[in-house]
Amino acid sequence: MSDGSTPRRKPSAADRTVEGPVLSSALAALLDEVHAHAGAVYLLAPGRPVLEMAVMAGLPRTFAAPWERIGLNAPFPLAHAVRDRQLVWIGGEEEMARRYPRTSVVVPYPFAMAALPLVTGQTVHGAVFVLWPASHPPELSDWERTRLTASCDRLARQLEQAAAENRPVRPGPDLLALPSADEAAGVPDPAEAARLVARLPYGLIALDPHGRVSCANPAAAELIGLPMDKLLGAPLWTSVPWLNDPVYEERYRAALVSQRVISFVALRPPGHWLSFRMYPSTTGLSVRISRTRTEEEPSRDAPEPGAQRTGLMTISHVLNLAGGLTEAVSVQDVVRLIADEIAPALGSQALMVLGSQSGRLHVLGHRGYQDPRVVEMFDGIPLSAPTPGSHALTKGVPAFFGSRQQLERLYPGCLALPDGFAAWAYLPLIASGRPVGVCVLCYAEPHHFSANERAVLTSLGGLMAQALERARLYDAKHRLAHGLQQALLPHSLPRLPGFDAAGRYLPATQHMEIGGDFYDLVATPPTAPAVIGDVQGHNVTAAGLMGQLRTAVRAYTTVGQEPGEVMRSTNRLLMDLGVELFASCLYLRLDPASRSAVMSRAGHPPPLLRLPDGRVRVLDLAGGPLLGIDAAAAYTTTRIGLAPGSVLLLYTDGLVESPGTDIEDAVAALGRRLGEVGDAPPDELADLLVQRCMEARERVDDVALLLLRMRGDG
């Protein structure tokens, strides 16, 4: 009993849902604790790298349809949080557009979001995302972070305990609305409230979170032009024909997600413009409807009369997945994206992408097959064979098989296919009117392909076809560029008396993967000339000119020209070619007998010399301008000594230059790295020095490197 001295605690969402399933209760408590208006709990699919939505609160589940299933490699905040095992915070729509542009295309609304993993130790159980209205500050407060983390840790431990006790946690009921206790306070008598609303001269409508009309006054029915019984209980977008358009439904979604007041103007035929103003809360929306005071032009977003009506969630799916396909570069990128994002979103457990060549099917990539020998059975099948894959490719018509019985009835020859799946979708990939392949989606259980799902899959097939055609063209260009580059660079370096050598070349990633960086080492006893250079540009012209310069340097070396004269002759050649491209170059002649090298430099980064004791010197040699600028330029030479055990490093600027980094600081950092690892064998040392560039996702410039180590037996 209470003596009345302790104030009553305000009931929380957790109190109201404590009797419900564990996931629903935990999510309700979390949203109430951090004052968020929506969120969802995902569980990791058994044996698959896919997060599946288990329960959602505050918004209709259809709002998150593109993310019902999320591959762990998908560019989505929830997958990012699981991969990095940490909270991911999105402070607003601008940050969402910058970090996750594909997601912002589908939900271009102002809101704040936190995504957290459900992890115990090294085990991932799932993930949670939480949404706040657009009014939330752009930064997450410390108390919010603490409560979010504590709640997710608590739920993760519950999931771990349930798994240990072999008690599967099943998805709970969605919590569409979580009204606060304050909303029930001070509510007037229902009859008086109805009279109050009926007296108003403008229309008032109450929508539940699904968009269904739960209440309306007579003025609203009169303005919309429907009797009250036709209006109540139905979604506004389906009961009112002239509002049945994704443009208007999108306004309702924007209001619920952002929790901001949203307005729009719509045309009620034949010529009455009505203004709609939506006031959202976590329990639904109140809509005020009035006539516009002046004749207004239709919104540029309004549909044309007779325009085709398309389901908004279909558009959301296609927008989200199409954004990823535009980012795919190679064929394997396309296969990887389909496997990581499209297949999980569609509930598929495996896939295969087939192409055609010389009248036969060929496997371009696959995921999810336990036995690779099953995939090999598809490779080389003639296009004339009676198989669903060949028919889909040659006829350009998709095929859907909801069960093995359906497949076997039409294709008895597939009886012996031991792939272990129970349903299939064969999507022809048609680009520019030409078949480029087939995508096979496989399902572990019998699957009913609804008309809407077939339409989505067929649309995605067209997008995948465009991506695959671009990727195959890119792969062909890449093979051409790679072959040309390899032909222009030395296949191997000669073994020199007294020296060990190693070379590396990395192409830029933002162009055709071909460029003008080159190196060469020539054995002309008793000396050994070496050269490294960088022709301006990253294209076939630069590569062709690079090949000419490398050949010219070899020729001038063979006829016995001194280093300074080799540079002058090469400079004149470049001027005579008239290609209007410049080149940096560093030429040297090694002399094992005297343990020295004579160098000449033309605008090239300075070489580094690592002494036997580990100290590194930057050899800022005198020289001349870039090749191709001044036909009369002279190039001085410098002789340096090379003690046994010393290492000479020649490189192009791609190894040290990066945006926002001072070139001198970068050279100094390279020198420190050379000092630390310079005792490694030449090949291993070369790999260590280019490791950072190899790991970079994007290289804006080519990288060439040539290492020369003086042995003690020279």
Side-chain angles (χ1 to χ4, degrees), residues 109 169 330 356 475 507 578 669:
Y109 316 128
V169 178
S330 66
S356 64
D475 284 349

Side-chain angles (χ1 to χ4, degrees), residues 232-522:
L232 294 176
L236 192 61
W237 330 111
T238 58
S239 61
V240 183
W242 45 274
L243 287 177
N244 185 15
D245 189 274
V247 170
Y248 301 130
E249 187 179 353
E250 189 271 343
R251 301 293 195 273
Y252 138 78
R253 287 162 52 88
L256 273 185
V257 172
S258 66
Q259 291 292 293
R260 277 185 172 178
V261 177
I262 299 291
S263 302
F264 66 89
V265 176
L267 174 64
R268 174 192 164 186
H272 303 291
W273 289 94
L274 299 181
S275 172
F276 292 77
R277 189 168 181 84
M278 297 180 169
Y279 299 86
S281 76
T282 58
T283 59
L285 300 95
S286 297
V287 185
R288 172 175 168 166
I289 308 172
S290 59
R291 301 182 190 274
T292 57
R293 297 190 177 184
T294 59
E295 286 298 318
E296 299 183 28
E297 292 297 321
S299 165
R300 59 182 178 177
D301 293 330
E304 294 293 330
Q308 182 180 5
R309 310 294 187 181
T310 307
L312 183 62
M313 295 320 300
T314 298
I315 295 174
S316 298
H317 269 104
V318 174
L319 279 174
N320 183 56
L321 300 175
L325 288 169
T326 60
E327 300 170 4
V329 176
S330 66
V331 170
Q332 291 309 308
D333 287 342
V334 175
V335 174
R336 184 165 50 251
L337 186 134
I338 296 173
D340 290 346
E341 298 187 45
I342 295 181
L346 299 172
S348 170
Q349 283 75 46
L351 68 94
M352 178 166 42
V353 179
L354 302 171
S356 64
Q357 185 177 3
S358 303
R360 293 181 177 273
L361 291 174
H362 291 279
V363 178
L364 301 178
H366 62 90
R367 291 283 185 87
Y369 286 87
Q370 298 296 326
D371 188 352
R373 290 175 296 182
V374 173
V375 178
E376 294 171 2
M377 297 172 64
F378 288 86
D379 205 45
I381 294 178
L383 294 181
S384 57
T387 67
S390 57
H391 284 177
L393 182 62
T394 55
K395 296 180 180 179
V397 178
F400 302 95
F401 305 97
S403 66
R404 181 168 287 274
Q405 290 74 20
Q406 293 180 13
L407 177 66
E408 293 171 352
R409 187 166 57 248
L410 293 176
Y411 297 95
C414 296
L415 282 168
L417 184 63
D419 62 359
F421 296 106
W424 301 263
Y426 285 80
L427 307 177
L429 307 181
I430 310 296
S432 304
R434 183 175 59 86
V436 296
V438 176
C439 178
V440 185
L441 297 174
C442 308
Y443 298 79
E445 303 292 337
H447 185 86
H448 170 67
F449 295 96
S450 65
N452 182 61
E453 186 176 6
R454 294 183 185 213
V456 171
L457 289 172
T458 303
S459 299
L460 288 174
L463 295 171
M464 288 187 280
Q466 297 290 336
L468 183 61
E469 185 178 46
R470 290 193 306 269
R472 295 182 73 171
L473 179 61
Y474 171 85
D475 284 349
K477 289 183 176 180
H478 172 73
R479 288 192 297 270
L480 174 63
H482 184 74
L484 176 59
Q485 191 80 54
Q486 293 301 314
L488 294 174
L489 290 171
H491 296 287
S492 61
L493 297 177
R495 181 170 176 81
L496 306 176
F499 286 92
D500 292 322
R504 294 291 182 271
Y505 172 79
L506 300 176
T509 59
Q510 297 185 349
H511 308 279
M512 270 190 65
E513 299 204 14
I514 186 170
D517 288 22
F518 68 98
Y519 63 86
D520 201 2
L521 185 61
V522 186

